[in-house]
Amino acid sequence: MSTAPFAVCTRPSTDGTVECMSDAPVLIVGAGPVGLTGAVLLARHGVPSVVLEARPERVQAGSRAICVQRDVLDVLERAGVGRAVADAGVTWYSGRIFHGEREVVAQTLPEPQPGLFPPFVNTPQNVVERLLEAVVDAEPLIDLRYGSQVVSLAQDDDGVVLGLAGGGSVAGTHCIAADGSRSTVRALLGLPFEGMSFDDRFLITDLRTKLDQPEPERRFWFDPPFNPGRQVLLHPQPDSVWRIDWQVPRDFDLAAETADGRLDARIRAVVGDADYDLLWASSYTFHQRRVPTMHVDRVLLAGDAAHLMSPFGARGMNSGLADVENAAWKLAATRQGWAGPALLPTYDAERGAAAEENLRVTATTMRFLVPADDAQRAHRLATLTAARTDDSAKAAIDSGKFSEPFWYLDSPLTTPAPADALAAFPRGANEPRPPLPGVLCPDVPLPGAARLRDLFGLRFSVLAAAGVAVPPVEATVVRVPDEVATALDLAHDQVAVVRPDGYLAAVVGAEEVGPAVARAAGF
């Protein structure tokens, strides 16, 4: 990459000339939660960005994505809003699954240790965006521009230039495409978006009402009498708002159902006689798609621009935020000169593998939710029927395997664990992961209301127990108490190398830490 000052062409001035500055930004297309989080994380590393949003202003209607997973709250906390997102939402620990009117599964999620985030918080996407935008507005390294529609893209060895509708262009060193399922950047790159779409549609409503629930909980119905042959999902939101998702036929007409009272009848079947205010209603077709690569030269694709999956299990926004954190630290390292040449290409190696896993899990869920043939329908009915009396059948009911961090065991950046530990690694959805290199570092409460993840910095951290001699290395050495060393399964002479995104890059003897850090940096 050229080390010469990069001329950044920004908005045209009134006389038709172009303003330029010498500190080149990263260009981010899309000001949803993924794009805004990416901008803030880059600013945390001291990297400026220009965020281009085609819409003239933010649209606040509708909950859209609502479930934020525990480890993604940590990503948002590094962007300055994790606690605010958690406080603004509803925490739930209970889930119930019904077949018809009969309960077949009751799930309880474990409550967190003091100081740690809960497993999930239901905070609507529009609230997450509002909190992020407040941080963006206060950050001088971020230039957020509404009404900036990208119409062209050019890149070379020195940077990226995006042309804008109405004239003018903006340039930077790299581009993050976070412009959603109809991504303009993806189209300009000529990338296919292969996969499938489901024939059945889904109706989503937000309504404010008082329901008879002692504690907030997720409820899922298979084949209920009020939606025979299909499913219904109920989720709590803040301020007495509830989200209800119905599977509906492919010819569903929301306007017609609203006009003739059938929508009200649907809602009444769930809420009974309670008064309610309908805040938002929309219908969607769900897709399973991804690009063949998430990294094209100086452009990285993130979130729905790179992959689409069914929302059951909350793997959409959560995986998009994990994408952009992975992108942000690697872009910062590349621009600032502490990355090796192999670092940036690992964005696709790592996040592409994560997209494949999420698509595999959600495809399995959709085969259970929307059976494609008689054999799949018979399997689902047999499973649900057996679960009424057989506890062993309950685990086979799939109403959505909850979002979780992916593991980078096979990443070029990871110093591999021993072969026997890798062979025994549990790869099923939502199984506990041992703290092997490639796994997100476990969080542990520390004395004084702190926690382990609070100690991770902008570069690499080396976790070492007291008394372990660590040779000089391009990383911050963090001395950890015995309980942390135990949680990480560190032998008495071992250290853990932690990446800026909190993932374990290596668990090695202290004398091997230098090569492990170099490998994690892409050298």
Side-chain angles (χ1 to χ4, degrees), residues 60-422:
Q60 291 292 331
S63 57
R64 293 171 288 165
I66 61 171
C67 283
V68 187
Q69 190 264 348
R70 179 203 329 260
D71 302 292
V72 174
L73 286 168
D74 271 324
V75 176
L76 291 171
E77 182 67 359
R78 288 189 278 277
V81 299
R83 289 292 171 189
V85 168
D87 291 344
V90 173
T91 300
W92 52 276
Y93 298 97
S94 174
R96 300 167 69 191
I97 299 175
F98 300 83
H99 181 210
E101 294 183 289
R102 183 168 177 175
E103 181 179 311
V104 291
V105 174
Q107 301 168 299
T108 301
L109 301 178
E111 296 198 20
Q113 299 182 64
L116 306 189
F117 284 118
F120 281 92
V121 171
N122 282 7
T123 307
Q125 179 177 328
N126 53 37
V127 175
V128 176
E129 290 174 345
R130 174 170 51 81
L131 293 168
L132 283 166
E133 189 160 332
V135 176
V136 166
D137 288 344
E139 175 51 68
L141 289 175
I142 302 173
D143 181 2
L144 171 58
R145 305 180 189 177
Y146 283 100
S148 298
Q149 181 179 355
V150 173
V151 295
S152 67
L153 183 153
Q155 56 177 322
D156 58 22
D157 290 343
D158 291 319
V160 181
V161 179
L162 301 177
L164 304 178
S169 63
V170 59
T173 62
H174 299 82
C175 173
I176 297 175
D179 51 341
S181 60
R182 295 180 174 87
S183 171
T184 296
V185 175
R186 184 181 66 230
L188 291 171
L189 291 170
L191 290 175
F193 205 34
E194 296 176 347
M196 64 168 293
S197 301
F198 292 93
D199 289 336
D200 275 29
R201 299 181 65 81
F202 289 81
L203 165 67
I204 299 175
T205 62
D206 292 338
L207 53 99
R208 180 172 284 112
T209 188
K210 298 288 187 182
L211 296 186
D212 184 20
Q213 281 197 14
E215 299 290 340
E217 66 180 15
R218 175 187 190 265
R219 293 184 181 178
F220 193 104
W221 289 268
F222 288 96
D223 194 20
F226 48 86
N227 198 32
R230 293 183 168 87
Q231 288 79 50
V232 175
L233 172 63
L234 176 70
H235 253 300
Q237 298 189 63
D239 302 322
S240 299
V241 175
W242 295 84
R243 172 165 166 164
I244 310 176
D245 295 18
W246 286 268
Q247 182 190 358
V248 293
R250 69 187 70 179
D251 60 354
F252 173 81
D253 187 328
L254 176 57
E257 286 216 357
T258 302
D260 64 20
R262 283 178 291 165
L263 179 60
D264 176 70
R266 283 185 184 275
I267 294 171
R268 288 285 172 211
V270 178
V271 307
D273 296 331
D275 293 336
Y276 72 87
D277 293 321
L278 180 61
L279 306 178
W280 178 66
S282 186
S283 63
Y284 293 92
T285 298
F286 292 140
H287 311 272
Q288 295 280 109
R289 300 183 182 278
R290 66 155 296 186
V291 290
T293 178
M294 295 172 64
H295 175 212
V296 180
D297 299 325
R298 289 177 171 268
V299 180
L300 309 181
L301 293 94
D304 288 353
H307 45 71
L308 284 177
M309 56 203 69
S310 97
F312 297 98
R315 290 173 179 258
M317 182 176 73
N318 286 298
S319 65
L321 293 173
D323 288 345
V324 81
E325 183 180 42
N326 192 291
W329 80 264
K330 291 175 180 177
L331 285 173
T334 299
R335 286 172 49 111
Q336 294 166 354
W338 54 276
L343 181 64
L344 202 55
T346 66
Y347 174 70
D348 177 64
E350 294 185 344
R351 296 311 302 167
E356 282 295 322
E357 172 67 8
N358 283 323
L359 285 166
R360 183 192 67 78
V361 171
T362 52
T364 300
T365 294
M366 293 307 289
R367 284 193 293 272
F368 197 86
L369 295 184
V370 189
D373 53 38
D374 289 343
Q376 290 182 10
R377 280 187 285 273
H379 166 72
R380 187 179 75 172
L381 179 59
T383 300
L384 291 167
T385 301
R388 295 185 173 195
T389 56
D390 181 0
D391 286 345
S392 64
K394 297 182 188 299
I397 297 176
D398 192 346
S399 66
K401 301 298 184 184
F402 293 135
S403 178
E404 60 179 330
F406 186 64
W407 48 91
Y408 304 138
L409 304 183
D410 302 321
S411 169
L413 306 182
T414 302
T415 300
D420 57 343
L422 291 174

Side-chain angles (χ1 to χ4, degrees), residues 23-39:
D23 190 8
V26 169
L27 308 181
I28 299 175
V29 184
V34 174
L36 294 178
T37 299

